[in-house]
Amino acid sequence: MSTTVAAAEALLLTRVRDVQAVAHGDVLLDVLSDCQRVINACYGGVLATASLTLVHRQTCYVRSDVATNVVRPVQVTVNNRILTRTPWTELKSDNPDWLHGVGMPRVWDFIGHNLLVVYPSPPQAAAMTASVRYITETADCIEGQYLEIPDAHVPVMLDLAAEVLLLRQRLFPSIAEAAQSLTQHSNPRIVP
Amino acid sequence: MSTITSSALVSYANDLVCDQGDTTMLGGYAANLLAEELPQIPNGWLGELTITSATAGTAQVSVTSTVRKLLAVFFAGRELSHEPQAALDAESGAWPDAAGSPRAWTTDREQDRTVCLYPVPNLTTTSTASLVTEIDAVIFFAVTAQTTLPLYLRLPAALWLLSHEYSRESKYRDLDFAKLCQSIAERMFNLVDGVVVDPNVKP
């Protein structure tokens, strides 16, 4: 969050021995932007919250119903009560009619990259809003601005970006070193 | 919603290799990725609900052409059990003639893209209403072919295309490059799902 895009570019270009950006200038920002998105999707360093109006008899919502930049929800709250994440395949045992089930929302799940399930749906008379905390899709990197991800996640992002740039240069032995570095910087314990 | 189209993905992939790729071939790989391969990549698929109708007295229901993998089938809002036909045979030898409200579905011994409902529906359903609120219809919960990708999948998808492009027979074939493209793409597909895989560990 305090690392500038320019600083990240300089670090990256130094690591791939292309400080003048002769070989990678055309795709550098795109690769940095994409690596930032991938790393944030993994570690969830940039989060946001959106409101979702729950609809009577509707338990499935598409990603865009929540917000335009959702990667993956991590928490759903209704009336200040945190719902339990439960695999959707278990809902049938609770109620075979779960697709249109009605009641006080208790559980949620996210299917693939697209469908958010909040079960059951609210009663007809109740206007209910869910608060969805989600990992955001970071925006494109822009010169003169800051990276969005936390500083703690920058090294692993640079490792990943270095792998891609070294791949472009066909420097295969160096890729193994970058992959090793990425592994060292990857700490599964901080994955949400 | 930030998405990337097939043509934009091809353009981006080709940028990564300084326009050395064949855009026609890359376009084919992109179409195949969106329609066939992405639904097969673990955790990489995109779920959708699709709706269709059933006819009273007909057990067979056609599956929409975009569906790649059926996850669940609903009839009139109820999730049906997925049963092998052998189980239905064991329940009753005359099961194909039984009529009522379906409680199971099977695909054994059926035509491609057809599911068989049991018992045979005794009412005709519609498919015109809302996917999520309609109760009187057949709804498929499925992995489907896509026409666009979320933007955060752009880089792994582009590397995936390049792995195909550089492994085919051509004047610039490079199997080492192709293998690494595939390896890094697979790792990124895992990363976007929050899965950190050590690339140095042999499976």
Side-chain angles (χ1 to χ4, degrees), chain A residues 34 42 57 63-64 72 92 96-98 100 111-114 137 163 167-168 170 172 180 183 191, chain B residues 1-2 12 15-16 43 45 47 78-79 81 132 134-135 141 152 154 177 180 187 191-192 194 199-200:
Chain A
D34 283 334
C42 178
R57 298 189 63 83
R63 203 163 53 113
S64 55
R72 188 168 67 245
K92 185 184 167 194
D97 297 310
W98 67 267
H100 305 298
I111 305 170
H113 289 266
N114 210 33
E137 182 180 83
E163 275 195 61
L167 184 65
R168 294 186 82 213
R170 298 333 198 241
F172 300 146
Q180 182 69 38
T183 307
V191 176
Chain B
M1 181 64 64
S2 304
Y12 182 60
D15 284 348
L16 288 176
N43 303 321
W45 51 270
R78 169 160 294 212
E79 184 176 348
S81 294
V132 285
E134 172 59 44
I135 57 167
F141 212 59
Y152 59 86
R154 178 171 70 165
F177 180 79
L180 275 166
R187 190 138 46 91
L191 283 171
V192 296
N200 301 306

